[in-house]
Amino acid sequence: MATSVDPTTSEAPAWWRQAAVYQIYPRSFADANGDGLGDIPGILSRVDYLADLGIDAVWLSPFYPSALADGGYDVADYRDVDPRLGTLADFDTMVEDLHARGIKVVVDIVPNHTSDLHAWFQEALAAGRGSAARERYIFREGTGENGELPPTDWVSMFGGSAWERVEDGQWYLHSFAIEQPDLNWDHPEVRADFVKTLRFWSDRGVDGFRIDVAHMLTKDLTEPLPSRDELALIPIDGNHPLLDRDDVHEIYAEWREVFDSYDPPRTAVAEAWVASDRVPKYAAPESLGQSFNFDLLMAHFDARQFRDVVAHNLALAAESGSSSTWVLSNHDVFRHPTRYGLSLPVPEGEVPGRHGGGWLEAGADPSALDRDGGLRRAHAATLFMLGLPGSAYLYQGEELGLHEVAEIAPEQRQDPTFFRTNQEQYGRDGCRVPLPWSADGPSLGFGAAAPHLPQPEWFAASAVEVEAADEASTLSLYRAALRLRRELQGPEGLEWIETGRDDVLRFARPNGWQVVTNFGAEPFDLGADAADVVLGSVVDGAVPAESTVWIAPASLV
Ligand code: NOJ
C-alpha cells in the first residue's frame, strides 16, 4: 500500500496531502465586538492559539452575509463578509496573519443553493413567472386543480416539502431549508458567477476551498418529474435526477482550470455524501482533487470497523491519486466523545446526530452518557486518526474534549432540522455552542456578551485557559500530538502489523512510525517496544484499555 509520495511541507504545492486542518465555525469561535456572535477579528485575536495548536490549515465555515437560516450555509452574497463578522479588510488581515504563522486558509463554497435574500432570488421573486431571473433557480408550476399542491412530494433534507410556494403561485425547489433555494446549474450565469467567486477569494490569498454538498449541483428535471417513491428506486450511478450525477464533474473541470491558474494551485475538498466507489471521481486531480470520507465518523469505536474503513479509503485514495481525508467531528454531527459515550447503540452506517441517531432524540435522557468513557475512547480514536497517512480534519472544540451540549431550550435552538421535524430531531446546535476560553466571564471568554447559543456550566472546566495549564488535559494531548505528527510525518503509506488480538490495531508508516490502538478492555503488552513510545501512556509495558500510543525509533524524534 505504500506510495512513493515525498513528505510534504506546508511550503510545497502538495501541502494539503497530509495536512492537519482545523475547522473554524466562525460564529462560535471568538467574539471580538461583543455582540454574541463570533467574528473575523475574534479569529485574528486567536492566531497565536491556532499556531500553538500545531495545525497546518484552517477551514472557515461560511462567514458571508447571511440571515443564518442554516448557520451561514444560506449565503446572501458570496463575495463579502457578514458585517456582523467584520469586513473584507479584516479578512485580508486574518489571512496575512495566519500565513505569517505558516497556516493555510480554506474557505467554504456553497454552490447548490443561495439564501433567499441573495440579490438573484429577490430579483426572481420580483420579476415573476416566466422571467429570465427565475431561470437561475428551479421554479415550477404546482399540481392540483389550481396549482395549490407542490410539483412533487419530495422531502427536503431538513424535513418537510422540498418546494415552497411564492406569492404569484409558482413553487421553487429547496433541497435544504426554505430560505435556501436551489440554483439552476444549467444556467451559464450561475456557472460564470461561481468562477468569479473562486477567483475573488483566490486573489485574496485563500489557499483552498471546501465545496458544500458537491454531489448535488446538477439535476435532470425533465418532466414528468418522478415521485419520491420513484426517485428512491433510481440507482445513483451517475444518472440519478438529483444526486451524484456524472455531469457535475464538468463544473469541477472548469473550476480546476481556475485552481491551477494560481501558484501554488488552489486546492479543493468535496463534501460529497456518495457511495464510496463514486468518491474517487470527486478526488481525481481533474476534478476537485480531494474528497471527504465520513466513514470513520460513522464507525463505532471498534477495531474491525476502523481497520476496514482505513483499508477501504486508502485503496480509494490510491485509485484517484489523491490522499485520504479523515474526520471524527464536524459542525454537522454529534461530537465524537459523545458518540463514543452513548449507551444506546447507533445503528451501523447511520451518522449519529445527522439523522437524530440516539440519545438526543426528544425525550432521551442525557444522563445516559458515559462522559469519561466517551472522552477516553475519543482520545484513542483521535491519536489513531492523526497517525494515518492523509489529511486529518479537526473541528473546533474537539481539542478541548468538549461533549455535545444537550441543555439547549427549544426557544434557543437554531437548527432548521429541529423546527422542520416538529422538534423530533434536535439537530446540530449541540456541537455549535461557542467555545469556552476562560473559566469565568459572561461567555467564558468567548466575548463580552451572552453567546448566541447558551454554554452549559460544565464548559468552564474545559476552557482553553484551564486546559492549557493542565498537562493531562485534552488540549495538551492535541498540542503534543500535532507537534509530533509534524516531526514524524513522512511518506504516505501504511502497513498493518499483526497483533494476535481482534481488538488491537497496529500499523506502521514507511518511515517506522507506529501506532497501536487498544480498542479492548485488556491491556496490550508491547514488550521491548514500550521503550520507544513517544506519545500516550504505557502502564507496566502495556497499552491500557481503550487507548493509543505512538512508537517511533530514536532516529525520527
Ligand atoms: C452541508 C453543511 O455541512 C451543512 O451544515 C449545511 O446545512 C448543508 N450542507 C446545506 O448547505
Side-chain angles (χ1 to χ4, degrees):
M1 179 127 330
T3 63
S4 58
V5 180
D6 280 342
T8 56
T9 71
S10 53
E11 300 321 311
W15 63 267
W16 52 274
R17 290 192 70 96
Q18 303 213 66
V21 185
Y22 180 84
Q23 181 189 357
I24 293 182
Y25 190 73
R27 287 171 179 82
S28 299
F29 186 70
D31 169 21
N33 67 358
D35 65 355
L37 277 185
D39 43 40
I40 305 266
I43 299 173
L44 201 50
S45 71
R46 301 292 180 181
V47 168
D48 283 349
Y49 174 75
L50 295 167
D52 289 348
L53 194 53
I55 47 153
D56 302 303
V58 290
W59 146 33
L60 266 56
S61 278
F63 48 82
Y64 316 110
S66 167
L68 302 186
D70 180 22
Y73 284 87
D74 45 323
V75 179
D77 181 350
Y78 291 88
R79 298 188 284 272
D80 205 351
V81 173
D82 189 319
R84 291 167 296 179
L85 271 67
T87 61
L88 280 170
D90 292 332
F91 182 86
D92 293 343
T93 312
M94 179 196 71
V95 171
E96 211 177 289
D97 275 30
L98 286 166
H99 281 171
R101 307 300 297 269
I103 299 172
K104 306 276 185 200
V105 180
V106 173
V107 301
D108 219 309
I109 295 292
V110 189
N112 180 67
H113 41 265
T114 68
S115 155
D116 58 346
L117 299 181
H118 191 283
W120 276 356
F121 195 70
Q122 289 299 313
E123 192 189 333
L125 289 183
R129 48 159 50 81
S131 62
R134 287 211 174 167
E135 291 298 310
R136 298 193 191 104
Y137 291 91
I138 300 168
F139 277 88
R140 290 287 182 277
E141 297 303 333
T143 55
E145 245 167 68
N146 301 305
E148 73 283 9
L149 298 174
T152 67
D153 60 351
W154 300 348
V155 172
S156 90
M157 297 286 177
F158 295 143
S161 173
W163 298 93
E164 184 69 9
R165 200 171 194 196
V166 301
E167 231 168 62
D168 59 28
Q170 269 204 315
W171 297 75
Y172 67 87
L173 180 71
H174 59 90
S175 299
F176 292 88
I178 292 173
E179 299 85 350
Q180 292 168 301
D182 280 37
L183 283 164
N184 170 14
W185 272 90
D186 286 337
H187 201 300
E189 281 180 35
V190 171
R191 295 197 179 213
D193 199 67
F194 274 88
V195 165
K196 198 169 162 188
T197 295
L198 295 172
R199 287 203 176 280
F200 178 87
W201 294 109
S202 298
D203 289 345
R204 302 193 98 88
V206 155
D207 303 279
F209 301 94
R210 177 261 189 194
I211 312 302
D212 191 67
V213 290
H215 60 303
M216 290 179 64
L217 277 46
T218 54
K219 298 175 176 84
D220 175 5
L221 297 175
T222 316
E223 312 268 350
L225 297 175
S227 69
R228 187 181 175 197
D229 285 349
E230 285 163 348
L231 261 188
L233 296 175
I234 305 176
I236 305 179
D237 60 359
N239 261 317
H240 187 277
L242 301 181
L243 299 173
D244 189 21
R245 296 176 54 75
D246 285 338
D247 54 14
V248 78
H249 297 286
E250 291 163 17
I251 297 170
Y252 301 141
E254 194 184 346
W255 290 11
R256 170 56 49 199
E257 283 177 28
V258 176
F259 301 148
D260 289 353
S261 70
Y262 288 86
D263 181 21
R266 297 334 190 209
T267 66
V269 57
E271 188 224 13
W273 291 85
V274 299
S276 57
D277 61 327
R278 309 263 315 159
V279 170
K281 286 186 180 296
Y282 293 83
E286 62 277 13
S287 186
L288 291 173
Q290 200 182 35
S291 180
F292 282 123
N293 83 74
F294 298 110
D295 296 351
L296 209 52
L297 171 156
M298 286 192 275
H300 291 241
F301 184 75
D302 173 90
R304 187 189 55 80
Q305 287 190 31
F306 268 52
R307 181 172 170 151
D308 287 353
V309 163
V310 170
H312 183 58
N313 282 288
L314 289 180
L316 286 176
E319 220 178 281
S320 66
S322 185
S323 61
S324 194
T325 56
W326 311 107
V327 190
L328 289 168
S329 275
N330 65 28
H331 66 299
D332 284 335
V333 296
F334 290 174
R335 288 186 175 279
H336 64 287
T338 304
R339 291 205 306 272
Y340 299 145
L342 298 177
S343 56
L344 299 172
V346 177
E348 200 161 326
E350 185 170 318
V351 188
R354 200 173 170 87
H355 305 296
W359 75 300
L360 277 180
E361 289 299 306
D365 175 11
S367 63
L369 175 66
D370 170 8
R371 298 185 86 86
D372 293 346
L375 185 57
R376 183 174 60 246
R377 295 187 270 277
H379 286 173
T382 298
L383 294 190
F384 177 89
M385 172 178 85
L386 289 176
L388 292 169
S391 23
Y393 283 78
L394 308 168
Y395 175 53
Q396 69 177 39
E398 70 167 88
E399 78 279 19
L400 304 174
L402 294 182
H403 271 283
E404 190 78 5
V405 178
E407 312 87 325
I408 306 176
E411 62 278 10
Q412 288 173 311
R413 290 198 172 267
Q414 300 174 5
D415 189 346
T417 313
F418 180 65
F419 302 103
R420 290 188 59 87
T421 60
N422 288 325
Q423 314 198 350
E424 272 166 28
Q425 288 186 22
Y426 282 174
R428 304 160 297 176
D429 293 324
C431 64
R432 298 175 176 184
V433 173
L435 291 191
W437 292 91
S438 51
D440 42 36
S443 56
L444 303 177
F446 168 68
H452 67 99
L453 279 168
Q455 295 159 312
E457 266 175 31
W458 51 264
F459 254 36
S462 299
V464 170
E465 102 186 343
V466 175
E467 294 209 12
D470 175 4
E471 273 178 20
S473 69
T474 305
L475 180 58
S476 298
L477 181 68
Y478 269 68
R479 283 179 173 167
L482 288 162
R483 185 179 40 75
L484 206 51
R485 181 180 187 271
R486 271 192 182 157
E487 245 175 77
L488 296 175
Q489 200 59 272
E492 294 169 40
L494 168 155
E495 227 165 84
W496 296 105
I497 298 172
E498 194 43 62
T499 65
R501 273 193 31 193
D502 289 346
D503 55 2
V504 178
L505 293 183
R506 182 172 190 160
F507 63 81
R509 301 287 301 274
N511 63 1
W513 172 19
Q514 287 190 27
V515 175
V516 184
T517 300
N518 181 357
F519 291 81
E522 296 303 319
F524 174 74
D525 191 42
L526 279 181
D529 290 334
D532 289 335
V533 167
V534 290
L535 188 71
S537 0
V538 176
V539 178
D540 295 334
V543 185
E546 302 188 326
S547 63
T548 295
V549 298
W550 289 359
I551 297 171
S555 57
L556 285 183
V557 279

